[in-house]
Amino acid sequence: MIRTLLLLALTLTFLPGCFFIVDEDDDDDYYEEEPPPPVVNYRPEIDTDGAWWHCDYDESADDYFFEFETLVNDYDGDWDVDFVLVTVFEAGWDYEIDSFSLIHEDGNMWGGLVWERESELFCGEPIDVLFEAWDRDGAYDSFTLFY
C-alpha cells in the first residue's frame, strides 16, 4: 500500500500545475443581446412652409403687434429642440432691427408676439426675418423669410 502511494505521488509530481478549459461558446463576436445603436444627434430642421410672420392692429391695446411662428422638426424628438430665435433685418440689408426668442407652444410649433411699442419694429416697413433653431447638443438650422 505504501508502495502504491509512493508511485502515485511520484507520478503526480511530473504533471503540470495548469489546467486549460476550452469553452466552445467563447466568441467575442457573439452577443446575447443586440449591441446598442450608435449615438446620433439629428439637427433641428425649420419647416420652410411653416415659417411666417405678420403685423396687425389690436384695438383693445391700441397698438400694432408682430406675430412670428415656425415649425421645427427634430428626429431626436420635439423635446430636443432647445431654443428658437427670430432676428429681424431691414429688407435687403444686413441692418439688424431687433431679435426675439420664440416660445415652444406645442409639439414642433414655436411662436411669439411682440408689441410695436416694446420693440424697434414698425408695422408696414419691409423686413426680412431670420429663424434660427438649436437643439440640446448644439446642432443648428436657419431659414430666412425674405420680404
Side-chain angles (χ1 to χ4, degrees), residues 10 41 63 77:
L10 186 61
N41 177 34
D63 195 10

Side-chain angles (χ1 to χ4, degrees), residues 25-88:
D25 292 335
D26 190 20
D27 186 3
D28 291 339
D29 295 333
Y30 174 78
Y31 295 97
E32 288 186 26
E33 296 179 13
E34 288 290 320
V39 176
V40 176
N41 177 34
Y42 295 99
R43 69 180 182 86
E45 295 177 4
I46 296 174
D47 183 350
T48 58
D49 294 331
W52 57 268
W53 71 272
H54 82 276
C55 175
D56 206 350
Y57 182 73
D58 184 332
E59 289 182 24
S60 64
D62 190 28
D63 195 10
Y64 287 93
F65 66 90
F66 288 80
E67 186 174 9
F68 303 92
E69 189 168 297
T70 188
L71 301 174
V72 181
N73 301 310
D74 192 323
Y75 291 114
D76 294 321
D78 294 334
W79 56 267
D80 191 42
V81 179
D82 191 39
F83 190 71
V84 178
L85 183 72
V86 169
T87 306
V88 181

Side-chain angles (χ1 to χ4, degrees), residues 46-49 51 70 129-132 141-146:
I46 296 174
D47 183 350
T48 58
D49 294 331
T70 188
V129 179
L130 171 65
F131 293 88
E132 299 174 283
D141 189 27
S142 67
F143 169 70
T144 302
L145 190 59
F146 293 100

Side-chain angles (χ1 to χ4, degrees), residues 5 8 31 57 68 74 112 115 120 128:
L5 286 175
L8 183 62
Y31 295 97
Y57 182 73
F68 303 92
D74 192 323
W115 295 101
E120 298 296 319
D128 295 333

Side-chain angles (χ1 to χ4, degrees), residues 10-26:
L10 186 61
T11 307
L12 291 177
T13 58
F14 294 109
L15 290 176
C18 297
F19 292 97
F20 294 97
I21 299 174
V22 178
D23 186 5
E24 294 178 17
D25 292 335
D26 190 20

